[in-house]
Amino acid sequence: QVQLVESGGGLVQAGGSLRLSCAASGRTFSTYAMGWFRQAPGKQREFVSAITRSGGSTYYADSVKGRFTISRDGAKNTVYLQMNSLKPEDTAVYYCAAHRYYRGSDPANYSSWGQGTQVTVSS
């Protein structure tokens, strides 16, 4: 399994931006599809975005489409989530996840997880 470490969370006003990073250990980063999920207090973990191993395809939840952008940098073994036009309802702990293949938006299909980074959007 790959080890994942998220960073970049914080407190931001509504309408602002943040960029989350997820650094992966090992030399096999390019063999993993990567995803971002989030979990707000009292709610289930939900899919935010995913990117295939090649980076050729990206996927987004309807709630973030047009505002968030996922990307990956193979040289840095890092996946990013650029979040623009943030809303209070985006407040959650954001998790990075990995699996050998892109298998949709179900968290159960991802085998490796980071520890999460808190994003708080104030109104």
Side-chain angles (χ1 to χ4, degrees):
Q1 290 186 343
V2 64
Q3 304 299 315
L4 305 172
V5 179
E6 303 97 334
S7 61
L11 173 64
V12 64
Q13 289 187 332
S17 298
L18 282 175
R19 188 177 79 158
L20 304 184
S21 299
C22 172
S25 63
R27 303 178 182 178
T28 59
F29 176 70
S30 63
T31 67
Y32 285 87
M34 303 296 296
W36 286 98
F37 292 78
R38 66 187 182 186
Q39 188 166 18
K43 295 188 177 181
Q44 290 188 333
R45 191 168 297 189
E46 65 173 2
F47 172 77
V48 174
S49 182
I51 187 167
T52 54
R53 292 182 294 179
S54 68
S57 295
T58 57
Y59 305 87
Y60 297 95
D62 288 343
S63 60
V64 307
K65 203 170 294 182
R67 300 188 297 122
F68 291 9
T69 303
I70 191 171
S71 61
R72 63 189 299 158
D73 185 337
K76 296 182 178 180
N77 282 6
T78 300
V79 62
Y80 303 99
L81 186 68
Q82 178 66 44
M83 306 187 296
N84 298 329
S85 302
L86 282 162
K87 304 175 182 180
E89 51 263 44
D90 294 318
T91 295
V93 177
Y94 282 71
Y95 297 90
C96 175
H99 194 71
R100 287 291 188 178
Y101 304 95
Y102 172 69
R103 296 177 61 187
S105 60
D106 188 344
N109 291 335
Y110 289 78
S111 54
S112 298
W113 291 85
Q115 82 289 348
T117 185
Q118 176 71 46
V119 171
T120 303
V121 184
S122 64
S123 57

